Amino acid sequence: MSKTAWVFPGQGSQVLGMGVDLIDLPLAQQRFAQAEEILGWSVIAVCQHDEAKLGQTLYTQPCLYVVESILADLLKQKTLPDFVAGHSLGEYIALYVAGVFEWSAGLRLVKRRAELMENAAGGMMAAMIKFDRDELERVIGQTPDVVLANDNSPEQVVISGTPEAVKMVMEKVKAKRAIPLNVSGAFHSPLMAAAAQEFQDVLTSVEFLPASIPVMSNVEPTPTQDGNVLKQRLMQQMTGSVRWREISLGLADHGITHVVEIGPGNVLTGLIKRTCGDMQLDNVRNAAELAQWGDNCI
């Protein structure tokens, strides 16, 4: 029997105008109003008019959480997934969709996460495309203060650490492209330890219920529905690597034949295609694609 996974993109997928076509829908209106009460600012105003703010971690992460969760809730009225996973921030939407915490609790977590990450200055991240993996792992192993932050696909990774260490790896490893990322800190690295410790206190106070469907976490791609395990994995996420390549391979291993990326862009479906070429891939990025669901996607 065919199984379907829903996946949720993280920071970097945001685009100006995302979510704007949802504002006439009652569920979206309710969510946007709730979000403004929690955040103290309007998600729809930022998404519609303020590209500069939308590119700042403080605003990016809550905006993505709100828009992606609305799309997911609307899609749930038509169909349900067998597995869920999310890339970095996207894991929070996956956990919400799986019923691990209620919507407002998830947004409050994302709000605090964004604040801590926005203030975690002093690090650097860089994407590397088409490289020798053995050489990269060897150089990282020999270079202090840099780690593999995002293992996205066989041909694309992100490294994270001090600026000196990241630049050293970029110089030593031959790659088709090596691109510094416009981020405020060394996310998904040990340099986030202080922020992660502060965030752990916030996470501890939130009840995690058993998931209604299996969740594949960034730091441990093995699917689980145990709420306590999912919380522990999320506690490790801020300093741990995003193992997306392994998540992609794990989906296939667990009988998933169809993956739907919910949210702006097509980053995750692109990564999965390069890792598992025979997977059926679809995107739900906006109200128009949501309205077409069932005509061509199933």
Side-chain angles (χ1 to χ4, degrees), residues 71-94:
L71 287 170
D73 278 339
L74 292 169
L75 187 58
K76 283 174 74 174
Q77 297 174 6
K78 300 169 180 278
T79 185
L80 294 171
D82 299 290
F83 281 73
V84 288
H87 191 286
S88 192
L89 168 75
E91 187 169 327
Y92 288 78
I93 301 98

Side-chain angles (χ1 to χ4, degrees), residues 127-133 135-136 153-157 173-178 274:
M128 303 192 71
I129 301 168
K130 292 191 176 179
F131 51 87
D132 184 295
R133 186 171 287 265
E135 180 187 26
L136 176 65
S153 77
E155 295 185 340
Q156 201 261 14
V157 299
V173 177
K174 184 179 179 181
K176 183 176 181 180
R177 296 179 69 192
R274 288 190 283 275

